[in-house]
Amino acid sequence: LLPAGVLADRLHRRRLMRASAGVGFVLYLSLVAAGAAGALTVPHLLAVALLTGVASGLFSPAETSAIRTVVPTDDLPTALSQQQARQHVAGLLGAPLGGALYGLTRWLPFVFDAISYAVAWVLLGRIRTDLSPVPGPPARPLNDLLEGLRFTWQLPFLRVLLIWSPLVNLTANAVFFVAILRLIEGGYSPTAIAVVEVVGGLCGILGALVAPWLIDRLPTGRLTISVAWSMLPLMLPMAFWGTPLVVAAALASILLLNPAGNAGVGSYRMAITPPELIGRVQSAMQFVSMTTLPLAPLLAGALLGWLGGRDAVLILGALTALVALIPTLSVSVRSVPRPAEWLATTPV
């Protein structure tokens, strides 16, 4: 992600995104060919997963920079909310579609993956906005690599996000893993567990649809703080009654507000970041926020194994409250106004 941010600020963004899509097409086409020949292996799958992740890391900062170039500042919350809705729809439909295709032929899901990358490559080529890089100072490799982190750390609001994001990713994902593992331990059917995830996906879509309305009417700082606390009220019931109904309600409470929080913060970050640094700032934030994701299932499994389901949820609830205090106590977060006032205020 960090080198990809430098590339997004130094090279043509449309070409970077098309290159990423083209790599994805070739990688999944290789799986189709291997599957059709009966030669599909686990190392091949792992290699494709790794290289697809690299291509995705290359794509993300270029995409963010492109959105900032294409979309006026006033429309950024709506654009990012639509992006959130797209992700939730894909998450909701992707797994059952993949399972159905796998049931027909083991390599058929990879055909659809390859087609999706080919369609992306074609559609990206239809973008007419000039996505060439914004002129900046001469390239200095090491300085360019760290510039996004340096700029993010200099602004108090972004610095708080840099600290808060990885911690909230750790606690929220650990709660989700504990909840699902408890349902499995409780002997609930796969259908019941699937319904929980479907409810979460539907609430995520609904939250993305109402996100522009919320972002427009609520101060972005207050909205961010509301998202930080949104999971806590239902964690106590979830500790004592880990049923599908309670877990679905807790997941719904998170995902209804989360799209508005993500889109609001993302839009504000884009609005206050110089155009020549968009790629590096985005990649720095994403890099730091994702560092804790591999630890979430480990934390969930350890707490569940050592303490049991009830105490694991209570401990994670306490951690969630501590993490939520980070943006709550920050003046730089609380003072962020509504989008209509963003450009009239100086970030502090």
Side-chain angles (χ1 to χ4, degrees):
L1 276 168
L2 292 179
V6 177
L7 294 176
D9 287 334
R10 295 294 186 184
L11 302 178
H12 199 286
R13 275 75 60 89
R14 180 162 60 87
R15 293 171 188 163
L16 281 173
M17 291 188 291
R18 294 193 89 194
S20 176
V23 168
F25 171 73
V26 172
L27 289 172
Y28 278 98
L29 197 62
S30 74
L31 292 178
V32 173
L40 199 57
T41 64
V42 171
H44 189 176
L45 288 168
L46 291 175
V48 169
L50 174 64
L51 294 174
T52 302
V54 173
S56 177
L58 178 69
F59 185 94
S60 184
E63 177 192 28
T64 301
S65 300
I67 291 173
R68 184 66 183 92
T69 303
V70 172
V71 179
T73 300
D74 292 345
D75 292 332
L76 281 174
T78 301
L80 295 190
S81 297
Q82 291 174 349
Q83 189 180 36
Q84 293 277 312
R86 177 197 69 185
Q87 291 169 352
H88 282 291
V89 169
L92 185 64
L93 299 180
L97 176 60
L101 294 172
Y102 184 84
L104 296 174
T105 303
R106 288 198 302 172
W107 47 268
L108 192 56
F110 304 134
V111 174
F112 277 73
D113 283 324
I115 291 173
S116 71
Y117 278 106
V119 170
W121 187 86
V122 172
L123 293 180
L124 287 166
R126 294 176 59 84
I127 297 175
R128 294 293 173 259
T129 305
D130 182 13
L131 297 181
S132 55
V134 177
R140 291 181 294 168
L142 182 59
N143 182 72
D144 284 355
L145 196 65
L146 300 176
E147 186 62 30
L149 288 169
R150 188 179 297 115
F151 177 83
T152 302
W153 191 255
Q154 287 172 350
L155 291 185
F157 172 78
L158 295 182
R159 184 164 63 241
V160 172
L161 290 186
L162 202 65
I163 298 169
W164 176 58
S165 295
L167 294 175
V168 76
N169 274 342
L170 175 63
T171 54
N173 282 280
V175 168
F176 176 74
F177 277 112
V178 165
I180 296 300
L181 289 172
R182 287 183 75 196
L183 291 177
I184 295 171
E185 281 188 340
Y188 291 100
S189 69
T191 301
I193 297 173
V195 168
V196 170
E197 297 197 13
V198 168
V199 168
L202 291 174
C203 288
I205 295 169
L206 178 61
L209 292 177
V210 301
W213 186 88
L214 289 172
I215 295 169
D216 187 52
R217 285 160 178 78
L218 298 176
T220 303
R222 301 291 178 178
L223 178 59
T224 303
I225 293 169
S226 299
V227 172
W229 291 97
S230 62
M231 182 166 52
L232 204 60
L234 282 168
M235 289 192 70
L236 188 60
M238 193 165 62
F240 292 95
W241 300 285
T243 64
L245 181 61
V246 174
V247 173
L251 194 59
S253 69
I254 302 167
L255 292 177
L256 277 172
L257 276 181
N258 195 57
N262 286 342
V265 167
S267 302
Y268 182 66
R269 184 173 63 240
M270 286 187 189
I272 65 175
T273 301
E276 67 274 13
L277 286 177
I278 288 285
R280 279 167 283 181
V281 169
Q282 168 63 18
S283 66
M285 288 297 303
Q286 195 172 354
F287 173 80
V288 173
S289 67
M290 291 176 66
T291 53
T292 56
L293 289 180
L295 302 177
L298 295 176
L299 176 62
L303 290 175
L304 194 59
W306 294 338
L307 303 175
R310 184 197 65 184
D311 291 344
V313 175
L314 291 175
I315 291 293
L316 287 172
L319 292 175
T320 299
L322 289 174
V323 170
L325 286 174
I326 296 173
T328 305
L329 298 177
S330 169
V331 175
S332 64
V333 173
R334 295 199 307 269
S335 62
V336 179
R338 294 182 303 154
E341 304 168 47
W342 283 352
L343 297 182
T345 60
T346 302
V348 293

